[in-house]
Amino acid sequence: MTPLVFRRKAEPLLKIIESILSYPIGLNGFREGLSEAEVTSCLPELGPHTTSFRDVYRQFNGFSWMDVWNGYQWDEARQVGDGVDRGNPHAIRVGREEIPVRAFGSTGGGDFFAIDLSNGSIWFLPHDFVTEGVCEGSAIRRAAGVSEFLDL
């Protein structure tokens, strides 16, 4: 699913949730997309397999859905760009191998979503297994890429 289709499908869902709850659901929604210059300035080049990830930010600069399920956050481009400096995960350790990743979102429980910089796949990283920016042992590959992840 493309980022634009995802946004078009998700926005009505947020309205339905709001009507079910009978109150405005607050800060849930998408942030405006960025220009190419803004994406380039905020989000460093992450490798050849992350083009579709960068494309997301042209459609929406992340989102906040804190009232959906247990809460979901897709970080703004600048937060992804400086996430490693802020202590977000930068690697998954599988045996002796370290897979380079960049965290881009989280759940309300503090778990992370990260993009694999070597192949563009998307991982779920339980926060309890992240130490000094490295997730050991319990990372779950959720999708082959951004498009498949947005279909989940």
Side-chain angles (χ1 to χ4, degrees):
M1 179 181 317
T2 67
L4 184 58
V5 170
F6 175 74
R7 181 176 181 166
R8 285 184 183 151
K9 286 184 174 188
E11 283 180 329
L13 175 65
L14 292 174
K15 294 294 181 194
I16 291 168
I17 292 169
E18 186 174 295
S19 70
I20 291 169
L21 295 175
S22 300
Y23 66 88
I25 55 175
L27 302 175
N28 297 285
F30 291 91
R31 297 180 199 95
E32 281 301 310
L34 301 175
S35 69
E36 180 61 35
E38 290 170 318
V39 171
T40 301
S41 141
C42 293
L43 197 60
E45 178 55 50
L46 299 174
H49 302 288
T50 61
T51 302
S52 61
F53 179 71
R54 294 170 60 87
D55 290 343
V56 167
Y57 287 96
R58 290 182 195 88
Q59 299 299 323
F60 54 86
N61 187 19
F63 59 73
S64 174
W65 293 352
M66 290 298 110
D67 291 323
V68 176
W69 191 247
N70 68 337
Y72 294 99
Q73 176 81 21
W74 186 303
D75 294 337
E76 294 178 38
R78 67 175 174 74
Q79 293 172 306
V80 175
D82 67 11
V84 173
D85 296 337
R86 294 183 299 118
N88 284 353
H90 60 82
I92 299 168
R93 186 168 294 131
V94 179
R96 294 177 184 228
E97 179 187 8
E98 274 199 10
I99 300 168
V101 297
R102 184 64 63 102
F104 66 86
S106 61
T107 67
D111 301 317
F112 298 94
F113 294 106
I115 186 165
D116 183 328
L117 301 182
S118 66
N119 65 21
S121 62
I122 306 297
W123 291 80
F124 174 80
L125 312 178
H127 73 278
D128 291 341
F129 295 91
V130 176
T131 305
E132 296 181 15
V134 178
C135 181
E136 294 199 50
S138 291
I140 302 166
R141 186 173 176 265
R142 296 292 301 168
V146 171
S147 181
E148 184 180 317
F149 181 71
L150 293 175
D151 281 335
L152 294 177

